Amino acid sequence: MEAEGSQLKLYSYWRSSCSCRVRIALNLKGIKYEYVAVNLAKGEQSNSEFLKLNPLGFVPVLVDGEVVVSDSFAILMYLEDKYPQHPLLPSDLAKRALNYQVANIVSSSIQPFQNLVVLKFVEGKIDPQTWARHHIERGFAALEKLLKDHAGKYATGDEVFMADLFVAPQVDGAIRRFKVDMTQFPLLLRLHEAYSELPSIQDAMPESQPDAPPSSSS
Amino acid sequence: MHNQEQKAAGTWPLSNLVLYSFWQSSCSWRVRFALKLKGLPYEYRAVDLVKGEQFSPEFQRLNPLGYVPVLVDGGVVVSDSFAILMYLEDKYPQNTLLPEDPQLRALNLQAAGVVTSSIQPLHMQSLLKYIEDKFGPEERLLWAKTHIEKGLLALEKLLKGFAGQYATGNSLYLADVFLAPQIAVAVSRFKIDITQYPTLSRIHESYKSVPAFLASIPEAQADASH
């Protein structure tokens, strides 16, 4: 289903796991969008044009006509409100809360410790990879415990919901960028394998994006 | 255990809420503030993080991750303050925490996101201890100050043009639920000079006149030490 009037625009960076969450949602909901690349490695997030859109200089940013939404969770909730097809949240309140909890574990306890800004800050004091792995592994141990009694084919049951949108990019990044040994996390590894069979998720992964460098599919 | 009975407001769904909280936890503080704003009575159960009560078998059964706050609503157990707040919003829509307008709604979620992803995790006690152990006490101070100030500056920029008496206008919403405790902790625990941030300074003052906020502060909790 296409947006009425002008197409949705997503400001994204290929390797940004936060951007990946939104890309998955747009794919699941069948929403066409224009991909606008913001090269974080080159500092394009500091361009005055981009800062006008998002003064915080973060991707992803969604532009839907007059509405500009930043922050991946805020964008997902916006999409959920406006484009209810393929719901990202189950109707059962307890399961819904579980999805929110998984989302927050990833976005508060893991991802903040591996974003470029923090990695730059610790560089020189500790190997950034070691630092990132430490936090990822703590977060993954928490997710293993949390999801043990709830996971089915996917994180919180047999359908893809918001939790999966946060877990899939996080696990992918952990494996590819930070070389985390996933054998310690059998449930997450199993989920990763399930995600690899879903086009909606695979098409959202970093190496499939228009701004992915040619050498990125490894 | 300490019971605090309060009158439920109006004819909204009856609640049977238990909140596991630590008086000084800013995440617990958010939920206390929201419960008061929604006029929801709850039983307060203290979990002494200093004594390690989060590792008790009883609490681990509730939340294997060992974190507060945890909300128990009849048969439903919800952990993580953001998840709890969204759950409360879903189930008890009185005094809604999210405005109807999509742009303002998104702004509230974004402000909450800045606090919960860019500020609070970077000054948690456990992380600061890790930083101190690995890099030394001066690095610990520098780390906390740098990241808190970055986050507060981000909020200042974000809310410019939207803030009124409170963070996103003249009503209290989700952004305030996150900001009020965060700003208070930045000032009292980390001695951040809040006057650098005029919008945040102003709303910080406004919160001091909000009864729901005053009832939620650490010092007013049953487990506060003196």
Side-chain angles (χ1 to χ4, degrees):
Chain A
M1 187 192 287
E2 282 202 26
E4 286 173 348
S6 61
Q7 203 173 49
L8 283 189
K9 274 198 179 129
L10 180 70
Y11 290 76
S12 156
Y13 178 57
W14 67 290
R15 218 167 55 164
S16 148
S17 64
C18 304
S19 303
C20 187
R21 299 165 191 163
V22 176
R23 299 190 302 245
I24 298 174
L26 290 165
N27 290 349
L28 285 172
K29 289 180 178 288
I31 300 172
K32 292 212 185 327
Y33 64 97
E34 180 190 338
Y35 187 106
V36 183
V38 181
N39 193 329
L40 300 185
K42 284 191 179 160
E44 286 181 0
Q45 69 276 30
S46 305
N47 290 351
S48 54
E49 231 186 87
F50 186 71
L51 289 177
K52 263 196 279 253
L53 272 184
N54 181 10
L56 307 197
F58 291 147
V59 287
V61 179
L62 186 85
V63 179
D64 185 4
E66 294 289 305
V67 180
V68 179
V69 188
S70 305
D71 183 274
S72 59
F73 183 72
I75 295 172
L76 294 176
M77 294 306 289
Y78 172 82
L79 291 174
E80 189 67 352
D81 284 339
K82 190 163 177 197
Y83 306 99
Q85 66 271 29
H86 199 304
L88 302 176
L89 290 162
S91 43
D92 173 71
L93 290 189
K95 275 198 129 39
R96 245 174 132 82
L98 179 64
N99 272 274
Y100 290 135
Q101 191 184 351
V102 173
N104 215 44
I105 288 175
V106 174
S107 63
S108 300
S109 305
I110 309 179
Q111 194 280 336
F113 297 99
Q114 69 181 50
N115 69 43
L116 285 174
V117 175
V118 169
L119 290 183
K120 256 193 121 34
F121 192 86
V122 302
E123 203 172 52
K125 301 191 237 299
I126 187 175
D127 169 45
Q129 290 269 320
T130 304
W131 160 273
R133 259 199 303 274
H134 169 83
H135 292 284
I136 293 170
E137 290 176 356
R138 281 187 79 224
F140 281 6
L143 288 173
E144 284 280 318
K145 271 192 186 171
L146 179 65
L147 297 176
K148 193 161 58 85
D149 296 330
H150 300 283
K153 187 163 185 210
Y154 303 110
T156 62
D158 292 332
E159 290 172 70
V160 172
F161 284 124
M162 189 175 281
D164 302 288
L165 272 58
F166 281 77
V167 170
Q170 183 60 64
V171 172
D172 183 77
I175 294 171
R176 287 180 190 280
R177 282 177 67 197
F178 300 104
K179 315 291 183 233
V180 169
D181 171 17
M182 291 302 295
T183 60
Q184 312 169 68
F185 311 112
L187 195 158
L188 294 176
L189 190 55
R190 180 171 70 66
L191 294 178
H192 175 68
E193 281 151 15
Y195 298 146
S196 68
E197 292 172 10
L198 287 179
S200 300
I201 293 185
Q202 287 313 296
D203 291 345
M205 285 296 142
E207 60 282 357
S208 306
Q209 303 318 300
D211 57 334
S215 56
S216 62
S217 347
S218 47
Chain B
M1 275 183 350
H2 182 95
N3 280 317
Q4 289 174 326
E5 299 276 2
Q6 285 172 341
K7 272 206 162 92
T11 55
W12 299 102
L14 289 176
S15 60
N16 183 18
L17 300 172
V18 178
L19 179 69
Y20 290 79
S21 152
F22 179 57
W23 66 294
Q24 283 178 317
S25 146
S26 67
C27 301
S28 302
W29 191 345
R30 297 168 190 160
V31 176
R32 298 190 303 248
F33 188 16
L35 287 167
K36 306 275 180 205
L37 280 173
K38 286 182 173 291
L40 290 168
Y42 61 97
E43 180 189 333
Y44 186 101
R45 292 198 190 168
V47 181
D48 191 331
L49 300 184
V50 175
K51 285 191 181 156
E53 286 180 0
Q54 68 274 36
F55 302 117
S56 74
E58 192 205 316
F59 191 74
Q60 286 281 311
R61 254 194 303 275
L62 268 185
N63 183 10
L65 307 195
Y67 291 143
V68 288
V70 177
L71 185 83
V72 181
D73 184 2
V76 179
V77 179
V78 188
S79 303
D80 185 275
S81 60
F82 213 142
I84 294 171
L85 293 169
M86 297 303 289
Y87 171 84
L88 289 175
E89 189 63 4
D90 280 341
K91 188 159 179 201
Y92 305 104
Q94 64 267 39
N95 297 1
T96 182
L97 298 176
L98 288 169
E100 282 298 316
D101 173 72
Q103 187 71 74
L104 269 187
R105 204 176 170 86
L107 180 68
N108 271 275
L109 289 169
Q110 192 184 353
V114 173
V115 173
T116 195
S117 299
S118 303
I119 309 181
Q120 193 273 338
L122 299 178
H123 71 63
M124 281 181 71
Q125 289 288 70
S126 50
L127 177 73
L128 293 183
K129 184 159 185 349
Y130 178 86
I131 302 271
E132 182 165 8
D133 288 346
K134 275 206 136 37
F135 309 134
E138 275 170 23
E139 279 299 331
R140 172 191 174 132
L141 283 173
L142 178 66
W143 171 276
K145 191 169 190 289
T146 304
H147 290 289
I148 294 171
E149 289 188 337
K150 236 164 165 259
L152 294 179
L153 181 62
L155 287 167
E156 183 71 22
K157 282 184 187 172
L158 182 68
L159 299 175
K160 221 179 201 39
F162 291 101
Q165 196 181 357
Y166 305 114
T168 62
N170 294 327
S171 296
L172 290 158
Y173 286 122
L174 194 77
D176 302 289
V177 170
F178 280 80
L179 255 70
Q182 181 65 75
I183 297 172
V185 164
V187 169
S188 64
R189 200 186 301 169
F190 296 99
K191 315 293 181 221
I192 301 293
D193 173 16
I194 199 73
T195 63
Q196 306 173 69
Y197 317 106
T199 308
L200 299 183
S201 290
R202 195 179 75 248
I203 65 181
H204 177 56
E205 282 308 307
S206 299
Y207 296 138
K208 294 177 185 176
S209 317
V210 175
F213 179 67
L214 294 172
S216 72
I217 68 173
E219 296 74 17
Q221 305 316 304
D223 56 333
S225 9
H226 303 285

PDB file of all heavy atoms in Angstrom, chain B residues 40-63:
ATOM      1  N   LEU B  40      -3.668   5.986  39.665  1.00  0.00           N
ATOM      2  CA  LEU B  40      -3.792   4.543  39.874  1.00  0.00           C
ATOM      3  C   LEU B  40      -3.190   4.155  41.219  1.00  0.00           C
ATOM      4  O   LEU B  40      -2.005   4.353  41.450  1.00  0.00           O
ATOM      5  CB  LEU B  40      -3.046   3.780  38.759  1.00  0.00           C
ATOM      6  CG  LEU B  40      -3.667   3.849  37.375  1.00  0.00           C
ATOM      7  CD1 LEU B  40      -2.701   3.320  36.324  1.00  0.00           C
ATOM      8  CD2 LEU B  40      -4.982   3.072  37.325  1.00  0.00           C
ATOM      9  N   PRO B  41      -4.005   3.587  42.101  1.00  0.00           N
ATOM     10  CA  PRO B  41      -3.434   3.134  43.371  1.00  0.00           C
ATOM     11  C   PRO B  41      -2.555   1.913  43.158  1.00  0.00           C
ATOM     12  O   PRO B  41      -2.785   1.151  42.220  1.00  0.00           O
ATOM     13  CB  PRO B  41      -4.665   2.762  44.209  1.00  0.00           C
ATOM     14  CG  PRO B  41      -5.799   2.658  43.264  1.00  0.00           C
ATOM     15  CD  PRO B  41      -5.425   3.253  41.958  1.00  0.00           C
ATOM     16  N   TYR B  42      -1.547   1.758  44.006  1.00  0.00           N
ATOM     17  CA  TYR B  42      -0.693   0.583  43.870  1.00  0.00           C
ATOM     18  C   TYR B  42      -0.038   0.278  45.205  1.00  0.00           C
ATOM     19  O   TYR B  42       0.111   1.155  46.059  1.00  0.00           O
ATOM     20  CB  TYR B  42       0.379   0.801  42.800  1.00  0.00           C
ATOM     21  CG  TYR B  42       1.336   1.943  43.078  1.00  0.00           C
ATOM     22  CD1 TYR B  42       2.580   1.719  43.664  1.00  0.00           C
ATOM     23  CD2 TYR B  42       0.993   3.259  42.751  1.00  0.00           C
ATOM     24  CE1 TYR B  42       3.452   2.771  43.928  1.00  0.00           C
ATOM     25  CE2 TYR B  42       1.853   4.316  43.024  1.00  0.00           C
ATOM     26  CZ  TYR B  42       3.084   4.067  43.600  1.00  0.00           C
ATOM     27  OH  TYR B  42       3.934   5.105  43.867  1.00  0.00           O
ATOM     28  N   GLU B  43       0.350  -0.965  45.333  1.00  0.00           N
ATOM     29  CA  GLU B  43       1.099  -1.373  46.523  1.00  0.00           C
ATOM     30  C   GLU B  43       2.585  -1.229  46.210  1.00  0.00           C
ATOM     31  O   GLU B  43       3.058  -1.694  45.177  1.00  0.00           O
ATOM     32  CB  GLU B  43       0.767  -2.832  46.842  1.00  0.00           C
ATOM     33  CG  GLU B  43       1.503  -3.352  48.063  1.00  0.00           C
ATOM     34  CD  GLU B  43       1.341  -4.857  48.248  1.00  0.00           C
ATOM     35  OE1 GLU B  43       0.297  -5.396  47.794  1.00  0.00           O
ATOM     36  OE2 GLU B  43       2.255  -5.479  48.804  1.00  0.00           O
ATOM     37  N   TYR B  44       3.310  -0.576  47.087  1.00  0.00           N
ATOM     38  CA  TYR B  44       4.740  -0.338  46.889  1.00  0.00           C
ATOM     39  C   TYR B  44       5.522  -1.427  47.596  1.00  0.00           C
ATOM     40  O   TYR B  44       5.390  -1.602  48.795  1.00  0.00           O
ATOM     41  CB  TYR B  44       5.109   1.025  47.467  1.00  0.00           C
ATOM     42  CG  TYR B  44       6.529   1.475  47.199  1.00  0.00           C
ATOM     43  CD1 TYR B  44       6.809   2.396  46.194  1.00  0.00           C
ATOM     44  CD2 TYR B  44       7.603   1.002  47.956  1.00  0.00           C
ATOM     45  CE1 TYR B  44       8.104   2.835  45.951  1.00  0.00           C
ATOM     46  CE2 TYR B  44       8.903   1.420  47.716  1.00  0.00           C
ATOM     47  CZ  TYR B  44       9.151   2.352  46.714  1.00  0.00           C
ATOM     48  OH  TYR B  44      10.431   2.766  46.469  1.00  0.00           O
ATOM     49  N   ARG B  45       6.334  -2.155  46.825  1.00  0.00           N
ATOM     50  CA  ARG B  45       7.214  -3.158  47.449  1.00  0.00           C
ATOM     51  C   ARG B  45       8.652  -2.771  47.157  1.00  0.00           C
ATOM     52  O   ARG B  45       9.074  -2.738  46.002  1.00  0.00           O
ATOM     53  CB  ARG B  45       6.921  -4.545  46.894  1.00  0.00           C
ATOM     54  CG  ARG B  45       5.561  -5.044  47.329  1.00  0.00           C
ATOM     55  CD  ARG B  45       5.425  -6.531  47.181  1.00  0.00           C
ATOM     56  NE  ARG B  45       4.035  -6.928  47.379  1.00  0.00           N
ATOM     57  CZ  ARG B  45       3.541  -8.123  47.091  1.00  0.00           C
ATOM     58  NH1 ARG B  45       4.332  -9.046  46.567  1.00  0.00           N
ATOM     59  NH2 ARG B  45       2.269  -8.394  47.316  1.00  0.00           N
ATOM     60  N   ALA B  46       9.376  -2.521  48.208  1.00  0.00           N
ATOM     61  CA  ALA B  46      10.748  -2.056  48.053  1.00  0.00           C
ATOM     62  C   ALA B  46      11.686  -3.212  47.747  1.00  0.00           C
ATOM     63  O   ALA B  46      11.579  -4.286  48.328  1.00  0.00           O
ATOM     64  CB  ALA B  46      11.195  -1.345  49.319  1.00  0.00           C
ATOM     65  N   VAL B  47      12.602  -2.975  46.828  1.00  0.00           N
ATOM     66  CA  VAL B  47      13.671  -3.925  46.539  1.00  0.00           C
ATOM     67  C   VAL B  47      14.972  -3.175  46.798  1.00  0.00           C
ATOM     68  O   VAL B  47      15.290  -2.215  46.095  1.00  0.00           O
ATOM     69  CB  VAL B  47      13.623  -4.384  45.059  1.00  0.00           C
ATOM     70  CG1 VAL B  47      14.730  -5.391  44.768  1.00  0.00           C
ATOM     71  CG2 VAL B  47      12.258  -4.960  44.725  1.00  0.00           C
ATOM     72  N   ASP B  48      15.692  -3.574  47.821  1.00  0.00           N
ATOM     73  CA  ASP B  48      16.898  -2.837  48.204  1.00  0.00           C
ATOM     74  C   ASP B  48      18.066  -3.261  47.315  1.00  0.00           C
ATOM     75  O   ASP B  48      18.658  -4.324  47.499  1.00  0.00           O
ATOM     76  CB  ASP B  48      17.195  -3.092  49.689  1.00  0.00           C
ATOM     77  CG  ASP B  48      18.261  -2.150  50.231  1.00  0.00           C
ATOM     78  OD1 ASP B  48      19.136  -1.711  49.439  1.00  0.00           O
ATOM     79  OD2 ASP B  48      18.247  -1.869  51.432  1.00  0.00           O
ATOM     80  N   LEU B  49      18.382  -2.428  46.346  1.00  0.00           N
ATOM     81  CA  LEU B  49      19.432  -2.764  45.398  1.00  0.00           C
ATOM     82  C   LEU B  49      20.804  -2.756  46.066  1.00  0.00           C
ATOM     83  O   LEU B  49      21.715  -3.465  45.658  1.00  0.00           O
ATOM     84  CB  LEU B  49      19.427  -1.777  44.224  1.00  0.00           C
ATOM     85  CG  LEU B  49      18.142  -1.699  43.399  1.00  0.00           C
ATOM     86  CD1 LEU B  49      18.328  -0.762  42.215  1.00  0.00           C
ATOM     87  CD2 LEU B  49      17.679  -3.071  42.940  1.00  0.00           C
ATOM     88  N   VAL B  50      20.949  -1.932  47.092  1.00  0.00           N
ATOM     89  CA  VAL B  50      22.230  -1.854  47.795  1.00  0.00           C
ATOM     90  C   VAL B  50      22.498  -3.164  48.540  1.00  0.00           C
ATOM     91  O   VAL B  50      23.616  -3.664  48.577  1.00  0.00           O
ATOM     92  CB  VAL B  50      22.243  -0.659  48.769  1.00  0.00           C
ATOM     93  CG1 VAL B  50      23.520  -0.651  49.596  1.00  0.00           C
ATOM     94  CG2 VAL B  50      22.092   0.642  48.001  1.00  0.00           C
ATOM     95  N   LYS B  51      21.438  -3.734  49.104  1.00  0.00           N
ATOM     96  CA  LYS B  51      21.592  -5.003  49.835  1.00  0.00           C
ATOM     97  C   LYS B  51      21.524  -6.205  48.896  1.00  0.00           C
ATOM     98  O   LYS B  51      21.657  -7.323  49.343  1.00  0.00           O
ATOM     99  CB  LYS B  51      20.478  -5.136  50.885  1.00  0.00           C
ATOM    100  CG  LYS B  51      20.648  -4.268  52.107  1.00  0.00           C
ATOM    101  CD  LYS B  51      19.657  -4.667  53.192  1.00  0.00           C
ATOM    102  CE  LYS B  51      19.843  -3.757  54.409  1.00  0.00           C
ATOM    103  NZ  LYS B  51      18.594  -3.706  55.204  1.00  0.00           N
ATOM    104  N   GLY B  52      21.285  -5.965  47.619  1.00  0.00           N
ATOM    105  CA  GLY B  52      21.256  -7.076  46.672  1.00  0.00           C
ATOM    106  C   GLY B  52      19.959  -7.863  46.647  1.00  0.00           C
ATOM    107  O   GLY B  52      19.923  -9.020  46.237  1.00  0.00           O
ATOM    108  N   GLU B  53      18.870  -7.228  47.085  1.00  0.00           N
ATOM    109  CA  GLU B  53      17.593  -7.954  47.137  1.00  0.00           C
ATOM    110  C   GLU B  53      17.079  -8.327  45.752  1.00  0.00           C
ATOM    111  O   GLU B  53      16.194  -9.175  45.622  1.00  0.00           O
ATOM    112  CB  GLU B  53      16.538  -7.126  47.896  1.00  0.00           C
ATOM    113  CG  GLU B  53      16.792  -7.114  49.394  1.00  0.00           C
ATOM    114  CD  GLU B  53      15.769  -6.304  50.192  1.00  0.00           C
ATOM    115  OE1 GLU B  53      14.827  -5.736  49.578  1.00  0.00           O
ATOM    116  OE2 GLU B  53      15.918  -6.232  51.424  1.00  0.00           O
ATOM    117  N   GLN B  54      17.639  -7.686  44.710  1.00  0.00           N
ATOM    118  CA  GLN B  54      17.203  -8.031  43.353  1.00  0.00           C
ATOM    119  C   GLN B  54      17.668  -9.437  42.979  1.00  0.00           C
ATOM    120  O   GLN B  54      17.211 -10.003  41.975  1.00  0.00           O
ATOM    121  CB  GLN B  54      17.701  -6.995  42.329  1.00  0.00           C
ATOM    122  CG  GLN B  54      19.194  -6.948  42.089  1.00  0.00           C
ATOM    123  CD  GLN B  54      19.933  -6.059  43.089  1.00  0.00           C
ATOM    124  OE1 GLN B  54      19.581  -5.992  44.256  1.00  0.00           O
ATOM    125  NE2 GLN B  54      20.968  -5.380  42.637  1.00  0.00           N
ATOM    126  N   PHE B  55      18.594  -9.998  43.778  1.00  0.00           N
ATOM    127  CA  PHE B  55      19.069 -11.345  43.498  1.00  0.00           C
ATOM    128  C   PHE B  55      18.355 -12.405  44.329  1.00  0.00           C
ATOM    129  O   PHE B  55      18.670 -13.577  44.242  1.00  0.00           O
ATOM    130  CB  PHE B  55      20.587 -11.425  43.718  1.00  0.00           C
ATOM    131  CG  PHE B  55      21.353 -10.451  42.867  1.00  0.00           C
ATOM    132  CD1 PHE B  55      22.105  -9.431  43.445  1.00  0.00           C
ATOM    133  CD2 PHE B  55      21.290 -10.514  41.484  1.00  0.00           C
ATOM    134  CE1 PHE B  55      22.797  -8.504  42.656  1.00  0.00           C
ATOM    135  CE2 PHE B  55      21.974  -9.586  40.681  1.00  0.00           C
ATOM    136  CZ  PHE B  55      22.727  -8.585  41.279  1.00  0.00           C
ATOM    137  N   SER B  56      17.382 -11.997  45.138  1.00  0.00           N
ATOM    138  CA  SER B  56      16.645 -12.981  45.935  1.00  0.00           C
ATOM    139  C   SER B  56      15.864 -13.894  45.003  1.00  0.00           C
ATOM    140  O   SER B  56      15.412 -13.453  43.942  1.00  0.00           O
ATOM    141  CB  SER B  56      15.683 -12.276  46.889  1.00  0.00           C
ATOM    142  OG  SER B  56      14.584 -11.764  46.165  1.00  0.00           O
ATOM    143  N   PRO B  57      15.698 -15.172  45.401  1.00  0.00           N
ATOM    144  CA  PRO B  57      14.952 -16.107  44.543  1.00  0.00           C
ATOM    145  C   PRO B  57      13.555 -15.580  44.221  1.00  0.00           C
ATOM    146  O   PRO B  57      13.072 -15.728  43.095  1.00  0.00           O
ATOM    147  CB  PRO B  57      14.873 -17.383  45.389  1.00  0.00           C
ATOM    148  CG  PRO B  57      15.971 -17.264  46.375  1.00  0.00           C
ATOM    149  CD  PRO B  57      16.221 -15.814  46.616  1.00  0.00           C
ATOM    150  N   GLU B  58      12.927 -14.936  45.188  1.00  0.00           N
ATOM    151  CA  GLU B  58      11.573 -14.407  44.967  1.00  0.00           C
ATOM    152  C   GLU B  58      11.561 -13.376  43.846  1.00  0.00           C
ATOM    153  O   GLU B  58      10.731 -13.413  42.943  1.00  0.00           O
ATOM    154  CB  GLU B  58      11.056 -13.776  46.269  1.00  0.00           C
ATOM    155  CG  GLU B  58       9.568 -13.444  46.249  1.00  0.00           C
ATOM    156  CD  GLU B  58       9.222 -12.326  47.219  1.00  0.00           C
ATOM    157  OE1 GLU B  58       9.727 -12.371  48.363  1.00  0.00           O
ATOM    158  OE2 GLU B  58       8.457 -11.414  46.830  1.00  0.00           O
ATOM    159  N   PHE B  59      12.516 -12.441  43.915  1.00  0.00           N
ATOM    160  CA  PHE B  59      12.525 -11.403  42.894  1.00  0.00           C
ATOM    161  C   PHE B  59      12.988 -11.938  41.549  1.00  0.00           C
ATOM    162  O   PHE B  59      12.479 -11.546  40.501  1.00  0.00           O
ATOM    163  CB  PHE B  59      13.380 -10.198  43.330  1.00  0.00           C
ATOM    164  CG  PHE B  59      13.205  -9.018  42.423  1.00  0.00           C
ATOM    165  CD1 PHE B  59      12.035  -8.262  42.470  1.00  0.00           C
ATOM    166  CD2 PHE B  59      14.164  -8.680  41.482  1.00  0.00           C
ATOM    167  CE1 PHE B  59      11.842  -7.190  41.605  1.00  0.00           C
ATOM    168  CE2 PHE B  59      13.992  -7.599  40.615  1.00  0.00           C
ATOM    169  CZ  PHE B  59      12.820  -6.861  40.674  1.00  0.00           C
ATOM    170  N   GLN B  60      13.953 -12.849  41.577  1.00  0.00           N
ATOM    171  CA  GLN B  60      14.454 -13.443  40.331  1.00  0.00           C
ATOM    172  C   GLN B  60      13.338 -14.180  39.586  1.00  0.00           C
ATOM    173  O   GLN B  60      13.314 -14.203  38.362  1.00  0.00           O
ATOM    174  CB  GLN B  60      15.597 -14.427  40.631  1.00  0.00           C
ATOM    175  CG  GLN B  60      16.905 -13.747  41.013  1.00  0.00           C
ATOM    176  CD  GLN B  60      17.676 -13.220  39.823  1.00  0.00           C
ATOM    177  OE1 GLN B  60      17.880 -13.933  38.843  1.00  0.00           O
ATOM    178  NE2 GLN B  60      18.086 -11.970  39.860  1.00  0.00           N
ATOM    179  N   ARG B  61      12.406 -14.750  40.361  1.00  0.00           N
ATOM    180  CA  ARG B  61      11.269 -15.447  39.738  1.00  0.00           C
ATOM    181  C   ARG B  61      10.415 -14.436  38.975  1.00  0.00           C
ATOM    182  O   ARG B  61       9.906 -14.719  37.907  1.00  0.00           O
ATOM    183  CB  ARG B  61      10.404 -16.140  40.805  1.00  0.00           C
ATOM    184  CG  ARG B  61      10.584 -17.644  40.835  1.00  0.00           C
ATOM    185  CD  ARG B  61       9.474 -18.308  41.654  1.00  0.00           C
ATOM    186  NE  ARG B  61       9.391 -17.807  43.015  1.00  0.00           N
ATOM    187  CZ  ARG B  61      10.118 -18.264  44.028  1.00  0.00           C
ATOM    188  NH1 ARG B  61      10.983 -19.252  43.851  1.00  0.00           N
ATOM    189  NH2 ARG B  61       9.983 -17.738  45.240  1.00  0.00           N
ATOM    190  N   LEU B  62      10.283 -13.253  39.540  1.00  0.00           N
ATOM    191  CA  LEU B  62       9.509 -12.192  38.901  1.00  0.00           C
ATOM    192  C   LEU B  62      10.239 -11.613  37.700  1.00  0.00           C
ATOM    193  O   LEU B  62       9.667 -11.393  36.649  1.00  0.00           O
ATOM    194  CB  LEU B  62       9.306 -11.036  39.891  1.00  0.00           C
ATOM    195  CG  LEU B  62       8.078 -11.035  40.748  1.00  0.00           C
ATOM    196  CD1 LEU B  62       8.037  -9.749  41.555  1.00  0.00           C
ATOM    197  CD2 LEU B  62       6.815 -11.152  39.911  1.00  0.00           C
ATOM    198  N   ASN B  63      11.511 -11.283  37.922  1.00  0.00           N
ATOM    199  CA  ASN B  63      12.322 -10.704  36.856  1.00  0.00           C
ATOM    200  C   ASN B  63      13.728 -11.287  36.881  1.00  0.00           C
ATOM    201  O   ASN B  63      14.578 -10.845  37.648  1.00  0.00           O
ATOM    202  CB  ASN B  63      12.397  -9.180  36.991  1.00  0.00           C
ATOM    203  CG  ASN B  63      13.178  -8.558  35.836  1.00  0.00           C
ATOM    204  OD1 ASN B  63      13.502  -9.246  34.856  1.00  0.00           O
ATOM    205  ND2 ASN B  63      13.480  -7.281  35.928  1.00  0.00           N
TER     206      ASN B  63
END
